[in-house]
Amino acid sequence: MKKLLLSAVFALTLCFAAKAQDETVAENPAEIKDTKVLTIDELKAQRAELVAMLKSEEFQKTLAKADALKAPKEAGIAGVDALAGMVSTMLTQLRENRALVPQMYASVTGQTLDGLPTTEVKPLSPDQLVGFSKMCLAMGSNLLKSSKDLITLPGEIKSAGLMKGIKGLKSLMYIKNSIGALKQEIAFNSKMINNLVATNKLTNMAANTTK
């Protein structure tokens, strides 16, 4: 019976591992591939698209799903626990820094995400914008590593025994769901901050030219 249960756990693990291929990360989601220099008007249009994406029902569901994820207890399987801990840390970082996006948007554009003028937002320095961008790049790099490490987990779970295997399966489900949510939010943050950094640069250049 124990062997049958272990086989069932491993079969489920393989099933989830196969489904996890849908959430694989082939490249750092924080890296911006398009290096074309945009004009002020083009950046404005791009921001409008990003704001619409942020407010969309689908994206809000993704954020809610990410916030609802609860890290499982340690399974006692080194690779599984390390990966679960890594994605849990990234989820926490994104949640704690989520308020920075509208603050940065308002600081650079002088408007809220709803398009209303604001004068109460403390201006952020270029270093703060770049710092946030670097954080996203680092998280994207960790996410890429997590996605690759996910491939090795079924073997570790199989050799861990029944009880640890069951816990490991729960952790695997958590990791898979986390990777999907992280990939989307990191990509969005990077696109928005890249736009704001470019907008801030062009705005300052224009201001210096008119002096």
Side-chain angles (χ1 to χ4, degrees):
M1 177 63 73
K2 184 176 181 180
K3 288 184 177 179
L4 286 174
L5 287 173
L6 186 57
S7 296
V9 169
F10 183 57
L12 285 171
T13 303
L14 289 177
C15 179
F16 278 108
K19 289 183 178 180
Q21 297 301 316
D22 297 335
E23 303 295 355
T24 54
V25 181
E27 56 188 16
N28 188 334
E31 291 183 350
I32 306 298
K33 295 295 183 180
D34 187 0
T35 57
K36 176 185 175 183
V37 178
L38 303 180
T39 65
I40 285 289
D41 288 339
E42 289 172 331
L43 288 168
K44 184 177 180 180
Q46 186 183 71
R47 282 198 305 279
E49 293 178 359
L50 290 170
V51 170
M53 175 184 172
L54 176 63
K55 293 183 177 182
S56 69
E57 182 179 355
E58 180 181 357
F59 194 77
Q60 287 301 313
K61 283 183 177 180
T62 296
L63 296 182
K65 177 183 176 181
D67 291 346
L69 290 171
K70 294 183 178 180
K73 294 181 179 179
E74 290 192 352
I77 306 172
V80 175
D81 292 338
L83 201 52
M86 180 183 290
V87 297
S88 178
T89 297
M90 286 192 285
L91 285 170
T92 299
Q93 284 181 314
L94 284 178
R95 185 169 56 250
E96 290 178 347
N97 287 281
R98 197 171 290 159
L100 279 177
V101 173
Q103 182 184 357
M104 290 177 177
Y105 185 94
S107 177
V108 172
T109 67
Q111 294 182 332
T112 67
L113 291 171
D114 293 322
L116 300 175
T118 176
T119 57
E120 299 179 359
V121 175
K122 182 180 178 180
L124 299 177
S125 69
D127 287 344
Q128 288 175 296
L129 297 176
V130 173
F132 186 78
S133 178
K134 288 182 178 179
M135 184 191 78
C136 289
L137 282 169
M139 292 178 69
S141 178
N142 286 335
L143 189 64
L144 179 59
K145 180 180 183 302
S146 299
S147 179
K148 291 179 179 179
D149 289 347
L150 189 62
I151 300 173
T152 67
L153 297 190
E156 291 189 46
I157 292 174
K158 179 183 179 181
S159 61
L162 180 59
M163 297 309 296
K164 287 185 178 180
I166 293 174
K167 293 179 180 179
L169 180 58
K170 291 181 179 179
S171 295
L172 185 62
M173 294 169 62
Y174 169 76
I175 293 167
K176 173 188 174 294
N177 291 330
S178 297
I179 287 177
L182 285 165
K183 182 168 63 175
Q184 293 185 58
E185 188 168 4
I186 290 173
F188 168 81
N189 283 351
S190 295
K191 290 176 183 177
M192 179 61 86
I193 194 62
N194 184 69
N195 179 291
L196 293 175
V197 168
T199 299
N200 189 60
K201 181 178 179 180
L202 288 182
T203 302
N204 288 337
M205 287 176 59
N208 291 331
T209 301
T210 57
K211 287 183 179 179

